[in-house]
Amino acid sequence: MGFTVDDVDRPSKADGSSSVARPIGAWRRPSSIALLFWLSLLAVEFMAAVVLCGFRVVFTLDDAYIHLAVADQILSGGYGINAGEYSSPSSSIVWPYILALTEAMRLGIAGPLLINVAAAGATVFTLVRLYETGSLFDGSPLSWLIVLLLVFNVSAVALPMTGMEHSLHVWATVATFAGLVVAARGSAPSPVHFIALVLLPFIRFEGAAFACAATAGFAMLGYRRFAAAAAVVMIAALAAYLALMASRGLPLLPSSVLLKGYLANLDGTTGSYPAIVQNLLRSVLSAYGLRLILLGFAVAACANWLRTDRRALIVLLTVLAAVGAHLVFGQYGWLNRYEVYIMALATAALVWGAAQFRPHVPAARWGLAKGALGVMLGMAALPYVTSAVISPVAASDIYEQQYQMARFAHAFYRRAVGVNDLGLVAYGNSDYVLDLWGLGSEPVRKARTAGEYGPAEMDALVRQHDVGVVMIYDAWFPQGVPSDWTRVAILQTRTVMLSQRNIAFYRTPLGDAAAVEAALRALGATLPPRDTLHIVAP
C-alpha cells in the first residue's frame, strides 16, 4: 500500500482511522507557544549580552560589521572596505545590498538585527507548523518537548545575534522546503516560496545545491513554469553579479571563500588526498558531520517508506541531494552557523516525512517512532543549545577586543591603521583601513594565494597607504613583521571564544610617536575592567 501526501491533510487517530479535530485557540497552538518560547529566550540572551557589553549592543561575530562597511561603500558607489578601492570581503552576494537599504534608513546595527529576528521568527513558525499540521502533535509531554526542540533545531536563539546572513538563509531554506510540500499536495507554490528559492544561492553560496535540487523538484512535481522562472532569475542574477565583479577586477568568488572556505583548494591537494576528499573525510569524522549523516539516514529511511509515493519521494530526494552536497563541500562550526541551514532542512524533511507515514503506523509502533524522532531532534539541536548559552559571552569577547580596537582607531588615533581582523575597525571609519590578512585587500589576497606574502610585502603596503599603527595577532604572521616596526603595546583580553587573546600594537616608521602614545594612553584609561593595555615602548 502506497502512502500519499494527501493522507496528512486529514487528522487521524493512532490506528489510522479518521477523527474530527477539535479546534485549538490561536494562542494555544504549538506554533504560537513556540514563538513565545523563542521570543522569551531571545530577549533573555539579548539582555545578557547587552549587560556583558557595557550596556551596548554588540554582535557575536566581528564579521557582521564587514558587511555593514561594504554596505556603506555600496551607498557611496563603491564596493569593499575603503573608498576608491575595490575588494570583495563579503561572504554573501545579496546581504550587503540588503544592508545598504537599512544603512540608507540610518538603522545602523539595528538593521541586520531586525532582519535576523524577523527571519528567525518566520523560520520557527514555518517549521513548527509543519509539525503541527501533520497530525504529529497530540498534546503529550513528548510532543511539547519536540515543539521546543524545533526552536533550537534552526538556531533561532543564537543565530540572530551573529548579525550575519545565516538567519535569512535558514528561513529561505525552510520556506523553499515548505513550497515543495505545497507543490507535492497539488497546490501552486506562492510568491513567497519563489522569493525564498531564488534567494538561496545569493544569500549563501552553499545554498546553490538546494536551489538546483529544489528547482528540479518543482519541475518534476508539475510546476515547470515556476521552476523555469526561478532558474531564469537565478541565472540572470548570477550572470549580472559575475559581470559586475569582473568589471571591478575582482574574483568571481569573495575573498572570504577564497581564503577561508574549503572550496578554495578544490583544484589542489591537501595532504595525500584531493581537497574534496579531505572535506568529505572531515564531515565523516566531525561531530557536526556525523549529526548531519544521522539525520540524512533518517530522511532516507522516510524516503524508503514512501518509495511508492512519487511526489513524497521527490520532496525527500531533493533534501538528500542537498545533504550530500554539504557533506562534500560544506563547512561546520564557528558558532555552528555554517551547517545550520542544512540541519534545519534535514529536520524539516524528517518531521514532514514522519507525518506522511504517521496514519499508517499502529499506536504502539508510532510511540516508539515518535520517541526516536524526539531523540534525533534533540541530538541535532544540542550544538545550537550550546551556541545560545555562550552567545552573550561571545558578544562580550567582541566588545572587549575588536570594539576596543575600533575605539582606538575611530576616537583616539584617527589616522590610517592596519589590522588582520576586519569589522568594527572598518565600519564607520572614514580613514583608510589596511587589511593585512586579505579579506578587504586584493593585493594581500593575491599575494597570500600565490604564497608570496611576508614582512617585505607588509612593509610595502603600509608605506603605500601611509599606515602609522598596525593592530594584529602575532600568531597569524609566523614569518614575523618588518624589522623597522616597533611594538608599542599589547592589549590583553580574557576572551573565551576568539582565537587569540592578545592584540599587538606596532608603530611603523610612518607613525608619529607622540600621537601614537597619546592615543594608547587614552584607550588604556577607558578600557573595560577585563582588559589590560601594556604600553611597552614610547
Side-chain angles (χ1 to χ4, degrees):
M1 176 181 177
F3 302 156
T4 67
V5 295
D6 293 325
D7 289 328
V8 299
D9 290 341
R10 300 183 303 272
S12 60
K13 295 180 181 178
D15 61 1
S17 61
S18 62
S19 62
V20 179
R22 298 193 327 183
I24 302 176
W27 291 106
R28 295 174 57 196
R29 291 174 181 168
S31 52
S32 300
I33 299 298
L35 285 175
L36 290 174
F37 175 68
W38 161 71
L39 278 173
S40 299
L41 291 181
L42 185 63
V44 170
E45 178 168 277
F46 179 80
M47 289 186 290
V50 168
V51 169
L52 290 177
C53 294
F55 295 94
R56 295 171 177 85
V57 178
V58 179
F59 291 126
T60 56
L61 291 170
D62 192 45
D63 301 51
Y65 302 94
I66 298 177
H67 296 274
L68 287 165
V70 174
D72 284 344
Q73 289 302 317
I74 289 173
L75 291 177
S76 300
Y79 193 85
I81 295 298
N82 297 294
E85 180 181 275
Y86 290 133
S87 63
S88 182
S90 173
S91 54
S92 169
I93 294 176
V94 75
W95 187 242
Y97 290 95
I98 294 174
L99 296 189
L101 297 176
T102 66
E103 285 293 282
M105 299 167 63
R106 301 186 181 276
L107 292 178
I109 61 174
L113 182 61
L114 291 173
I115 294 172
N116 281 345
V117 169
T123 304
V124 169
F125 181 79
T126 302
L127 183 56
V128 177
R129 283 291 288 169
L130 278 173
Y131 178 73
E132 179 184 331
T133 59
S135 300
L136 297 177
F137 182 79
D138 58 15
S140 66
L142 179 57
S143 287
W144 280 112
L145 176 61
I146 289 175
V147 167
L148 301 185
L149 284 174
L150 292 175
V151 172
F152 290 103
N153 283 126
V154 295
S155 193
V157 180
L159 208 56
M161 291 298 295
T162 66
M164 298 285 282
E165 70 273 14
H166 300 278
S167 291
L168 189 61
H169 185 207
V170 175
W171 168 80
T173 302
V174 174
T176 299
F177 177 79
L180 286 167
V181 169
V182 168
R185 289 174 177 164
S187 300
S190 72
V192 172
H193 300 137
F194 183 87
I195 293 171
L197 173 60
V198 299
L199 278 178
L200 277 173
F202 300 101
I203 302 173
R204 293 284 301 178
F205 284 88
E206 54 262 54
F210 185 47
C212 292
T215 300
F218 280 114
M220 288 187 288
L221 289 168
Y223 294 93
R224 295 180 178 82
R225 291 184 179 179
F226 179 92
V232 168
V233 170
M234 286 188 283
I235 292 172
L238 181 60
Y241 167 76
L242 297 179
L244 183 61
M245 293 297 103
S247 70
R248 292 168 171 171
L250 295 174
L252 302 184
L253 292 174
S255 301
S256 59
V257 175
L258 295 173
L259 291 175
K260 297 192 296 183
Y262 301 131
L263 285 171
N265 300 315
L266 288 182
D267 292 332
T269 59
T270 303
S272 56
Y273 299 101
I276 192 170
V277 176
Q278 286 285 340
N279 199 52
L280 179 58
L281 290 174
R282 186 180 289 108
S283 292
V284 173
L285 297 176
S286 72
Y288 302 107
L290 287 175
R291 287 186 179 94
L292 178 58
I293 290 170
L294 288 174
L295 280 179
F297 276 129
V299 174
C302 290
N304 182 60
W305 267 81
L306 301 166
R307 60 186 180 275
T308 59
D309 185 337
R310 176 179 174 274
R311 291 179 293 172
L313 192 60
I314 289 170
V315 172
L316 295 177
L317 288 179
T318 62
V319 173
L320 290 173
V323 169
H326 191 89
L327 290 173
V328 174
F329 299 108
Q331 299 186 67
Y332 305 89
W334 206 345
L335 283 177
N336 304 309
R337 62 191 174 101
Y338 288 128
E339 79 287 348
V340 60
Y341 82 98
I342 196 66
M343 297 293 284
L345 176 61
T347 296
L350 183 58
V351 168
W352 182 78
Q356 304 318 295
F357 61 79
R358 159 74 177 90
H360 306 277
V361 179
R365 290 183 61 189
W366 172 245
L368 293 174
K370 191 171 183 180
L373 176 64
V375 170
M376 291 292 295
L377 296 181
M379 173 271 299
L382 184 59
Y384 309 112
V385 174
T386 303
S387 295
V389 171
I390 65 177
S391 281
V393 178
S396 73
D397 285 349
I398 299 299
Y399 169 68
E400 291 167 6
Q401 193 174 99
Q402 282 87 356
Y403 186 88
Q404 305 309 319
M405 294 164 61
R407 290 178 60 241
F408 172 85
H410 297 186
F412 303 129
Y413 187 59
R414 297 177 181 174
R415 295 172 178 84
V417 297
V419 296
N420 63 212
D421 207 6
L422 275 179
L424 272 161
V425 175
Y427 178 47
N429 194 343
S430 59
D431 295 304
Y432 189 87
V433 178
L434 172 61
D435 179 13
L436 292 166
W437 191 245
L439 294 184
S441 172
E442 272 298 286
V444 174
R445 183 196 65 79
K446 291 177 179 178
R448 283 191 59 202
T449 302
E452 301 172 351
Y453 187 62
E457 289 74 22
M458 294 166 68
D459 186 60
L461 287 165
V462 160
R463 294 181 182 277
Q464 178 184 348
H465 297 290
D466 196 25
V467 173
V469 173
V470 170
M471 301 175 283
I472 59 173
Y473 297 139
D474 279 334
W476 285 21
F477 299 90
Q479 298 183 49
V481 300
S483 58
D484 57 357
W485 290 11
T486 303
R487 183 186 290 182
V488 293
I490 298 291
L491 176 62
Q492 291 185 335
T493 63
R494 300 181 183 180
T495 177
V496 176
M497 298 295 299
L498 298 176
S499 63
Q500 302 293 320
R501 293 189 174 190
N502 295 338
I503 302 291
F505 286 69
Y506 289 92
R507 187 184 71 244
T508 75
L510 303 177
D512 179 81
V516 173
E517 182 178 5
L520 285 171
R521 294 197 180 279
L523 175 66
T526 56
L527 286 173
R530 283 165 54 91
D531 285 357
T532 304
L533 183 69
H534 296 282
I535 300 178
V536 297

